[in-house]
Amino acid sequence: PVAAASTALGFERFAGGLVQIGAAPDAFAFDNERPVHRRFVEPFELGTRLVTNAEMLEFIAAGGYQNPALWLSDGWAWVREHGVESPLYWRRDDDGRYHEFTAHGEQPLDPARPVCHVSGFEAHAFATFAGARLPTEFEWELAARARCEAAERGNEPDPRAHAALEA
C-alpha cells in the first residue's frame, strides 16, 4: 500500500477579481513578465500543499501512464513515443521499489516529499486523475503574491524562505 501524505489536502479559496499581474519596472524579471497589466481572475481554490511522491505512486499504480483518457493528445503521443512510465528521475529497482536521482545522487523515493521533475503533460494527467485542474498562470501569480504578502504581515511562513530550504 502507498503511504498517505503527512498533511491532508485542503483547499484555500481566492476571491479573484481585477488584479495586477506582471513584474514591477524596478524588479528583476524576464521580458514576458512585463509590463504590469490588469487581468480579471474568476474566484478559485488552490490546494494547500504540493502533490506528494506517494500520490504520484498512486497514479502510477492505477495505470495513469497507460490511460489515454487522462492525457492531453500531445501528452499521450509523448508517453507513447518515449515509453514514459514514471517521472524523469525515478527508477524502479528489481524489487519494485522506486528511487529518485537527486542532487545527492540516487536516493530511495521518499513518499512524503513533493513530487518534482514532472512535465506539464504529467502534471495535467495527474490533475485529471485527481479530479482537479492545474491553476492558470494568473491564478498562480495571484496566489503566490497573496502568500508572500501574508508572510510579510507575519500571518504565515514566508514561502520564499521555504523554497530556499528545499533547494
Side-chain angles (χ1 to χ4, degrees), residues 76-131:
W76 183 244
W78 171 75
V79 166
R80 297 278 127 272
E81 181 180 341
H82 299 285
V84 180
E85 297 178 341
S86 65
L88 178 63
Y89 293 114
W90 289 22
R91 183 186 65 80
R92 193 172 187 172
D93 67 19
D94 294 336
D95 296 325
R97 290 183 296 257
Y98 280 93
H99 299 263
E100 180 178 26
F101 189 78
T102 72
H104 304 287
E106 190 173 282
Q107 303 289 321
L109 188 70
D110 180 347
R113 297 216 19 109
V115 68
C116 60
H117 301 115
V118 294
S119 70
F121 293 137
E122 289 165 301
H124 179 272
F126 178 87
T128 302
F129 168 77

Side-chain angles (χ1 to χ4, degrees), residues 22-84:
D26 58 339
F28 170 80
F30 294 103
D31 60 350
N32 64 332
E33 299 175 277
R34 292 208 170 96
V36 173
H37 56 284
R38 294 184 308 171
R39 174 80 182 204
F40 182 77
V41 178
E42 293 284 349
F44 67 98
E45 292 182 339
L46 193 63
T48 55
R49 65 167 174 77
L50 302 174
V51 173
T52 65
N53 288 330
E55 290 163 325
M56 193 66 178
L57 285 169
E58 291 172 4
F59 172 77
I60 293 168
Y65 282 93
Q66 289 78 45
N67 184 349
L70 299 174
W71 295 80
L72 297 169
S73 60
D74 285 347
W76 183 244
W78 171 75
V79 166
R80 297 278 127 272
E81 181 180 341
H82 299 285
V84 180

